[in-house]
Amino acid sequence: MATIFSRIVAGEIPSYKVAENDKFYAFLDINPLAKGHTLVIPKREVDYFFDLTDEEIGEMQIFAKKVASAIKAAYPCIKVGQAVLGLEVPHAHIHLVPMQSEKDMLFTNPKLQLTTEEFIEVAENIRKNFPGE
Ligand code: AMP
């Protein structure tokens, strides 16, 4: 059965899309640690991040770099932090979180409650700053 993230890529489940190319897809985390918290996934379904090929990890990181740059432009922060957990959804993903302090990367923190309108606005703000391919 397809993962929830593959179903998002297929358009079967809605997402707040931030960027996409032929191999990777970026969308807002629905339980954000901060405004701009984004997930980057490979379209190819692989559970464990480190089971991706060397080439995929390289290309995914370059794609994530562009997404991080767009997040930082839209939501000024000290740095965009990156984390790979993957304990909840068995489809490799990178978390990108705009950080004002180290504490913003604590996944045990309470998550932000955003309205649909706010999610739409956040995704648009990041998309506007995405440099493209
Ligand atoms: P983890 O697998 O531990 O890295 O956590 C999975 C992340 O995916 C969590 O931060 C969830 O909030 C997020 N998530 C789960 N389902 C969705 C979804 N349908 N759309 C956006 N984010 C999701």
Side-chain angles (χ1 to χ4, degrees):
M1 205 176 89
T3 66
I4 187 166
F5 288 173
S6 286
R7 298 186 66 204
I8 282 176
V9 171
E12 293 166 14
I13 292 177
S15 67
Y16 301 100
K17 178 174 151 180
V18 161
E20 179 177 19
N21 69 11
D22 57 331
K23 293 191 184 142
F24 306 103
Y25 190 87
F27 58 106
L28 298 183
D29 193 305
I30 38 158
N31 300 300
L33 285 166
K35 264 194 179 181
H37 181 171
T38 297
L39 301 176
V40 174
I41 64 169
K43 291 185 176 177
R44 188 169 86 86
E45 199 172 283
V46 173
D47 174 358
Y48 183 40
F49 181 81
F50 292 114
D51 282 338
L52 291 165
T53 66
D54 292 358
E55 191 183 29
E56 282 172 322
I57 287 183
E59 289 178 353
M60 187 168 168
Q61 193 63 80
I62 290 165
F63 181 76
K65 176 179 173 177
K66 291 179 187 170
V67 176
S69 144
I71 292 171
K72 196 165 190 299
Y75 292 95
C77 52
I78 297 172
K79 288 183 176 173
V80 172
Q82 169 167 307
V84 172
L85 288 82
L87 293 175
E88 190 188 312
V89 177
H91 186 135
H93 50 280
I94 293 172
H95 292 261
L96 296 175
V97 182
M99 293 184 295
Q100 306 300 345
S101 87
E102 188 182 309
K103 292 196 188 79
D104 291 335
M105 290 303 285
L106 289 177
F107 281 77
T108 46
N109 281 348
K111 307 302 184 296
L112 292 185
Q113 302 284 327
L114 301 183
T115 63
T116 302
E117 290 70 28
E118 286 173 315
F119 274 116
I120 290 170
E121 190 190 356
V122 173
E124 270 173 16
N125 288 341
I126 300 171
R127 247 186 348 255
K128 282 198 296 231
N129 288 284
F130 186 71
E133 292 302 311

